[in-house]
Amino acid sequence: MKLKKVTSLALAAVMAASLVGCSKPAEKPASTPEKKSSVTGTQASSAVSVASNTASAPVETTGDKTAITLWTYPVGKWGDSATVDEMLSKFNAKYPDISVSVEYLDYTNGDDQINTAIEGGQAPDIVLEGPERLVANWGAKGLMVDLSDLYTDASKDFYENVTAACKSPDGKFYEYPLCMVAHCMAINKKVFEEADAMKYLDAEKHTWTTENFLKAVKAVNDKGQENVLAVYCSGQGGDQGTRALINNMYGGTFTNPDHTQYTIDDAKNVKALETLKNTKGVNFDASIAGGDEIKLFRDGTFAMSLCWNASQQNNTDNGEAGKTNDGSEIFPMQFPSEDGNAKLCGGIWGFGIFDNKDEAKIKAAKTFVDFMANDPEQVKESVKSSGFFPVHSQLTDVYAGTEIADTMDMFTKNFMPSMGDYYQVTKGWPETRTAWWNMLQKVGTGEDIQTVAAECSKEANAAAAAAK
């Protein structure tokens, strides 16, 4: 699915690599969420159309004080208590009768914490994450509240593929989206220039063909760069990069269009795996995941990163934004494809509400979600805190005037229009991610690629069939 509307957003982002599960906060016990902040409010909706500034239907109020819990994965600075405290204080100013306690999760143990809380009858009221968890996992199990009543005038300008990803096959909306991004790859421009490999890419469009990508790898390797890139596979962290590379090289797919079957053993994917395994300078590395790869790319060990996006480009945790540790320019690229038109993996993040059988809490949770995602002023801060792009196509000034607005405008122009199908909502997704990196490890050790790809597809489809 391509984005149907793309405006010239002037965006900027400064965040650690939350997207790939790097730099994670400390875990807290699932049954005892840490109360980072407490806000209160009258349970009335702030639902205001970002596009038109006209109020949508309000959530019913009770006038009672209500305590709710928010558990958030590290989506940019939504994993930072100081940032979240500031946003909660603004919510508190408008809704003093709703208190919100916050638990900060990471991508290593976050799922286990929530599942443990569910089993103990202590699920959080609100979770900030993506459709693969909120819709395809907990929503599909009947654990989430249908948020269809929030999809009013305020959501009419959502990108089409974002809305589709938040909707379950039975027509219910288990996620209300906030932000999104299209993942890409990147190269060390200095290394490429020294190897005379810049000629193999379209620098204006940030694209290249598969043929030229392989020529570039050879040129950089011939120049003395032993590790041009790594197909990292110690776990699922950053696996969107390895999937995108392998699917795009020869036009393979990860699932069928209806998201009912995994197609990992697509002959085109097998061809890509065989090509990568036989390409000097490309190494299947079972000792690292996406976060590790980023660090090794920044320190010059690798000439390319498969685990990149707009937020990584503007990350200053390891030095100057858009630069490696030695100051070399990082040049973002789309993944290679035969015709130079890649389909990029996307990330979508938003809010889901667990059905804890307490109507007062559900109404309060909807008020919170509506305020954070639709209030004309707050939504800008909510998106900016994520470090990503707004799902509101008409919200064009989130990062206007920032020092890296031009960089983010480049991402909007050259990467966001190439966001492909959001197949992460296919049933059996958690098990499939594990099967994927296990398959890559087997490829790296020399096992027959056709065989291990078929085994991976079989395991993934078995998990999909078993999913309730």
Side-chain angles (χ1 to χ4, degrees):
M1 273 180 282
K2 297 280 187 177
L3 292 173
K4 297 300 182 182
K5 309 175 192 172
V6 178
T7 57
S8 186
L9 310 175
L11 305 174
V14 178
M15 67 170 278
S18 65
L19 179 66
V20 294
C22 359
S23 185
K24 304 178 182 69
E27 288 294 326
K28 308 294 187 300
S31 60
T32 55
E34 178 183 355
K35 293 184 178 180
K36 296 291 185 181
S37 300
S38 216
V39 297
T40 53
T42 59
Q43 295 181 48
S45 172
S46 66
V48 178
S49 169
V50 172
S52 64
N53 286 335
T54 57
S56 59
V59 177
E60 294 181 10
T61 66
T62 67
D64 297 328
K65 292 196 174 189
T66 307
I68 58 175
T69 56
L70 165 68
W71 288 18
T72 174
Y73 284 79
V75 182
K77 290 192 175 181
W78 277 89
D80 172 65
S81 61
T83 300
V84 174
D85 282 350
E86 185 176 348
M87 291 189 286
L88 291 178
S89 69
K90 294 176 181 178
F91 178 75
N92 181 45
K94 192 166 186 176
Y95 302 103
D97 292 337
I98 302 175
S99 66
V100 184
S101 61
V102 185
E103 170 82 353
Y104 297 93
L105 308 174
D106 68 22
Y107 283 110
T108 301
N109 300 311
D111 291 358
D112 290 338
Q113 284 187 264
I114 291 183
N115 290 332
T116 298
I118 292 170
E119 292 172 2
Q122 297 180 354
D125 295 299
I126 307 168
V127 174
L128 174 64
E129 229 299 287
E132 57 268 36
R133 287 176 172 85
L134 301 179
V135 180
N137 186 4
W138 299 312
K141 294 176 180 177
L143 300 173
M144 310 300 289
V145 173
D146 181 5
L147 303 179
S148 295
D149 58 336
L150 291 181
Y151 281 78
T152 58
D153 289 344
S155 58
K156 286 185 177 179
D157 70 330
F158 285 169
Y159 292 104
E160 181 180 329
N161 59 344
V162 172
T163 300
C166 294
K167 189 176 184 179
S168 66
D170 62 2
K172 296 178 180 179
F173 286 93
Y174 293 125
E175 176 168 345
Y176 198 80
L178 174 67
C179 54
M180 63 183 184
V181 75
H183 302 301
C184 62
M185 62 184 299
I187 64 169
N188 183 316
K189 189 175 180 181
K190 179 181 177 181
V191 171
F192 267 59
E193 288 174 340
E194 290 176 347
D196 192 26
M198 289 297 292
K199 64 186 178 183
Y200 295 120
L201 55 90
D202 185 329
E204 181 179 351
K205 296 181 179 179
H206 297 259
T207 61
W208 45 7
T209 64
T210 299
E211 180 182 2
N212 282 335
F213 161 74
L214 294 171
K215 288 180 179 179
V217 171
K218 184 178 187 303
V220 173
N221 182 251
D222 287 347
K223 189 65 176 179
Q225 181 90 23
E226 181 179 355
N227 298 297
V228 181
L229 69 91
V231 180
Y232 47 85
C233 49
S234 72
Q236 69 180 32
D239 58 2
Q240 74 279 348
T242 56
R243 296 195 311 268
L245 175 65
I246 291 163
N247 289 161
N248 274 294
M249 282 182 66
Y250 299 108
T253 59
F254 204 80
T255 73
N256 63 4
D258 297 329
H259 305 145
T260 58
Q261 183 177 9
Y262 289 97
T263 56
I264 297 166
D265 60 346
D266 182 333
K268 296 176 180 178
N269 293 335
V270 172
K271 181 180 180 180
L273 286 165
E274 290 173 341
T275 299
L276 292 168
K277 187 64 173 66
N278 294 325
T279 297
K280 192 175 180 181
V282 176
N283 301 294
F284 283 70
D285 195 333
S287 69
I288 61 173
D292 309 302
E293 185 248 30
I294 290 171
K295 294 175 183 177
L296 292 167
F297 170 63
R298 284 187 180 276
D299 73 14
T301 301
F302 300 142
M304 299 185 197
S305 171
L306 305 178
C307 198
W308 211 250
N309 57 50
S311 293
Q312 284 295 346
Q313 185 71 13
N314 293 292
N315 182 13
T316 58
D317 284 0
N318 298 302
E320 188 177 352
K323 300 290 182 66
T324 64
N325 293 351
D326 70 355
S328 299
E329 180 182 348
I330 295 173
F331 195 79
M333 289 292 296
Q334 291 199 26
F335 286 90
S337 62
E338 289 188 298
D339 61 2
N341 297 312
K343 296 179 180 178
L344 304 180
C345 285
I348 299 171
W349 295 270
F351 302 97
I353 298 175
F354 274 96
D355 186 0
N356 289 324
K357 309 303 179 183
D358 186 321
E359 288 303 317
K361 288 180 178 288
I362 290 172
K363 290 172 184 177
K366 287 182 178 180
T367 299
F368 177 86
V369 170
D370 192 51
F371 176 79
M372 291 295 170
N374 289 325
D375 181 86
E377 293 305 317
Q378 179 56 44
V379 66
K380 298 175 184 179
E381 296 305 313
S382 298
V383 173
K384 188 181 294 184
S385 296
S386 75
F388 297 131
F389 299 78
V391 296
H392 288 285
S393 63
Q394 296 184 31
L395 189 60
T396 62
D397 60 346
V398 171
Y399 302 106
T402 62
E403 62 182 14
I404 50 175
D406 289 344
T407 298
M408 296 304 290
D409 188 56
M410 177 270 291
F411 273 91
T412 300
K413 175 183 176 182
N414 295 293
F415 294 91
M416 294 305 291
S418 296
M419 183 171 165
D421 178 28
Y422 199 87
Y423 54 73
Q424 295 96 307
V425 293
T426 308
K427 289 183 178 181
W429 181 246
E431 297 85 356
T432 298
R433 295 184 77 184
T434 298
W436 174 258
W437 59 261
N438 283 336
M439 178 196 71
L440 295 180
Q441 289 188 358
K442 293 175 182 177
V443 171
T445 59
E447 293 191 35
D448 180 72
I449 293 175
Q450 177 64 64
T451 299
V452 297
E455 290 173 348
C456 184
S457 277
K458 183 178 179 180
E459 185 176 344
N461 285 311
K468 296 181 180 179

